[in-house]
Amino acid sequence: MSFPRYEFAVTSCKSRSCGKIAKNAAPDLRQKNLRSEPVLVKPLLGSSKISPTKKMSSSLRTTNGFIPAKVAEGKRWYVEFYCLDPETGRLRRKRVSVPKIKGVTARRRYANDMVININDQLSQGWNPYLSLNNPEEYTLFDDVCEKYYRYLYKLTESDIMRVKTYNGYTSFLNVFRAWNKEQHKPVCYVYQLKSSVVSKFLDWLWLDCGKAARTRDNYLSWLRSFAGWLMEKNFISEDFTANLSAVQGKRKCAKNRTVIPKETMLAIREYCGDRNRHYLLACYVLYYCFIRPKEMSFIRIGDISVKGGTISVRAEYSKNRKDAVVTLPDCVLKLMLDLDVLTCPADWYLFSSGFRPGAEHHPAKHFGDFWTYHLKKDLKLPSEYKFYSLKDTGITDLIKARTDLLSVRDQARHHSLQMTDLYTPLETRTANESIRHHESYF
């Protein structure tokens, strides 16, 4: 299987748009069959060829990072060769004195032996300007990045990593590589990845580009994962993120979610009821069942139990990779019966073409497209109201209805009550009655 070199470029740095990546930065698997191979693109970076200084003859140019040694005889005898200096990115001459030996023939033979020995070491990766215990640390950073892309792609193709995670990790790396390319002294070899470089990159994101603290911390989380992979593959010996900390630390901040008001929700229901009742069913499933759009796109008719009043979510499409059973409220089941979707074949998808049941799978993107280009446009909704906002609104409204948090957690499939509690509006929090009526001797 062949893999591409990934092309990327930096857009103009203007406020929050700083560091955006071209669309062909890496194979986008959002709408690709995971079994299909990415399309090869022409590399923008990543050439392993080393250009010598301009003064050198073109006949001496090499692609191996050095010019072989040769004997220079004169008043003083030397074995001289050129090798890449990582600090300047240019080939630099190195001279080794040939000791004085009685007899020109004997001295020349000794010098030739020195040439053979030095060239042998150079061909094995030795560099006098680079003192490393581990030769892997001398690997070109662009080559390491390509291996990392291949690693992520294989994880995703094997269904070990989610497509969303793959796209996120490759995007993070593309932004870092684009930033690195613009630096005065960019990282050329993987050993040059130091804490100071990473810290400078994170400051650029947060302070110069105006990214949120959470975004900056997300990049740091990815960099820790990247550093772990580099250490596992023996490319580096120390974790360059060990001394870096998250801005927010372990503090959990309130969910930055947009809750749609009741009047707008009623307008959405009326609009969908008139235009497309099958899309209204999709809105109901998201609002009442808290099933994510990607998971919704894979729901089959056979996953719905009328008798049990549940919808099964399969592990291979679930966010947490676990099988789950979600409660199906009566109002959602009634709409399903009115639309006569439950009489379709069990292996049909609930939301296929036109959001009607069908044998063909449609990606989750079509839910958001209808919302953006039709519903939100026709109802003139604010830009912050997204299709996914229905899930956040549903969780918040269920908590407002005094439903116990444990039941809300199970329906939303949160990993902890702490996560569910982040959705609880301040106005719904009530006083503890036992504390409220407590009075002591003081």
Side-chain angles (χ1 to χ4, degrees):
M1 180 180 295
S2 61
F3 288 85
R5 287 178 180 267
Y6 302 92
E7 182 178 358
F8 57 92
V10 188
T11 61
S12 58
C13 179
K14 293 183 180 179
S15 182
R16 303 183 66 87
S17 65
C18 195
K20 290 185 179 178
I21 303 302
K23 292 183 179 179
N24 62 338
D28 190 348
L29 301 183
R30 293 185 182 92
Q31 299 184 49
K32 260 188 190 295
N33 185 335
L34 293 184
R35 296 293 172 185
S36 62
E37 295 183 5
V39 179
L40 289 170
V41 295
K42 183 179 179 180
L44 184 63
L45 293 180
S47 174
S48 59
K49 294 186 178 182
I50 306 299
S51 299
T53 56
K54 294 180 180 179
K55 295 181 180 180
M56 297 179 187
S57 170
S58 59
S59 62
L60 295 177
R61 298 188 180 185
T62 176
T63 60
N64 297 321
F66 67 91
I67 295 177
K70 66 178 182 179
V71 180
E73 300 178 5
K75 186 176 181 180
R76 299 182 64 182
W77 287 31
Y78 297 97
V79 172
E80 64 178 21
F81 58 94
Y82 288 85
C83 204
L84 182 70
D85 184 351
E87 296 299 324
T88 63
R90 292 176 173 270
L91 292 177
R92 179 180 170 188
R93 184 173 64 178
K94 178 73 175 178
R95 282 182 171 181
V96 181
S97 297
V98 178
K100 293 182 179 180
I101 299 175
K102 188 176 181 179
V104 175
T105 302
R107 192 179 189 188
R108 187 171 289 134
R109 185 183 302 113
Y110 185 89
N112 289 333
D113 288 341
M114 288 179 62
V115 169
I116 294 174
N117 182 47
I118 291 175
N119 285 337
D120 182 59
Q121 293 185 62
L122 289 172
S123 64
Q124 295 181 33
W126 172 69
N127 187 332
Y129 303 116
L130 193 62
S131 177
L132 294 175
N133 296 325
N134 177 19
E136 295 294 330
E137 295 185 7
Y138 186 45
T139 308
L140 288 170
F141 179 61
D142 286 334
D143 292 343
V144 171
C145 289
E146 290 187 11
K147 292 180 180 180
Y148 184 64
Y149 282 128
R150 294 178 60 188
Y151 170 76
L152 296 178
Y153 185 87
K154 188 63 177 178
L155 287 179
T156 310
E157 185 187 41
S158 303
D159 205 28
I160 298 173
M161 175 179 285
R162 297 168 57 228
V163 175
K164 184 177 180 180
T165 305
Y166 168 87
N167 288 327
Y169 281 13
T170 54
S171 176
F172 288 155
L173 180 56
N174 288 336
V175 172
F176 180 78
R177 292 182 71 188
W179 170 84
N180 179 62
K181 181 177 178 288
E182 299 298 319
Q183 301 310 297
H184 177 64
K185 288 186 177 181
V187 173
C188 296
Y189 294 90
V190 69
Y191 85 93
Q192 295 174 308
L193 268 178
K194 303 294 183 182
S195 178
S196 57
V197 175
V198 175
S199 178
K200 183 179 179 182
F201 168 68
L202 293 175
D203 287 344
W204 172 78
L205 282 172
W206 191 30
L207 303 177
D208 297 343
C209 296
K211 301 296 182 184
R214 176 176 292 183
T215 301
R216 183 260 187 200
D217 290 349
N218 288 341
Y219 271 89
L220 177 58
S221 297
W222 164 74
L223 285 165
R224 286 171 177 163
S225 173
F226 185 42
W229 178 82
L230 292 173
M231 294 181 68
E232 178 185 336
K233 302 304 178 183
N234 212 28
F235 286 120
I236 59 174
S237 55
E238 296 182 359
D239 183 359
F240 50 77
T241 64
N243 298 325
L244 301 175
S245 59
V247 173
Q248 294 181 331
K250 295 182 179 179
R251 179 174 62 88
K252 286 277 188 180
C253 61
K255 278 284 186 181
N256 184 21
R257 305 296 194 194
T258 301
V259 177
I260 303 175
K262 179 180 178 181
E263 297 75 15
T264 306
M265 291 293 293
L266 294 176
I268 292 172
R269 184 181 68 180
E270 182 179 357
Y271 176 89
C272 295
D274 295 338
R275 303 294 183 89
N276 191 326
R277 297 188 71 204
H278 288 273
Y279 189 76
L280 177 62
L281 177 60
C283 294
Y284 269 28
V285 171
L286 184 59
Y287 175 82
Y288 285 105
C289 303
F290 314 143
I291 299 178
R292 301 172 182 88
K294 180 186 174 182
E295 298 168 343
M296 287 170 52
S297 70
F298 285 101
I299 295 176
R300 297 178 185 268
I301 301 300
D303 296 329
I304 303 170
S305 172
V306 177
K307 183 177 180 180
T310 60
I311 299 179
S312 298
V313 180
R314 304 182 188 184
E316 56 263 38
Y317 310 122
S318 171
K319 180 180 180 180
N320 59 8
R321 302 288 179 172
K322 294 180 180 179
D323 288 318
V325 176
V326 177
T327 300
L328 186 63
D330 292 338
C331 59
V332 183
L333 182 58
K334 181 179 183 301
L335 181 57
M336 288 181 175
L337 294 173
D338 291 344
L339 296 175
D340 203 27
V341 299
L342 299 179
T343 60
C344 299
D347 60 343
W348 276 22
Y349 293 101
L350 177 61
F351 299 109
S352 185
S353 179
F355 309 105
R356 298 172 179 272
E360 181 182 356
H361 174 261
H362 277 243
K365 185 175 181 291
H366 74 153
F367 296 117
D369 286 347
F370 184 87
W371 178 278
T372 302
Y373 300 115
H374 299 283
L375 186 148
K376 186 164 69 173
K377 182 179 179 181
D378 293 343
L379 294 180
K380 296 181 173 54
L381 300 183
S383 59
E384 60 267 23
Y385 291 173
K386 299 177 174 58
F387 179 65
Y388 200 85
S389 300
L390 293 174
K391 176 176 179 285
D392 303 320
T393 305
I395 295 175
T396 303
D397 287 349
L398 193 60
I399 294 174
K400 285 182 176 179
R402 305 298 180 184
T403 308
D404 65 282
L405 287 181
L406 189 61
S407 299
V408 179
R409 182 205 67 180
D410 293 342
Q411 181 75 346
R413 291 169 290 145
H414 289 155
H415 67 276
S416 67
L417 280 173
Q418 184 183 13
M419 176 61 68
T420 307
D421 193 50
L422 294 176
Y423 289 86
T424 306
L426 293 177
E427 62 269 19
T428 64
R429 301 177 188 264
T430 58
N432 186 302
E433 291 300 320
S434 60
I435 297 177
R436 184 178 180 182
H437 301 294
H438 171 72
E439 183 177 355
S440 184
Y441 59 85
F442 184 66

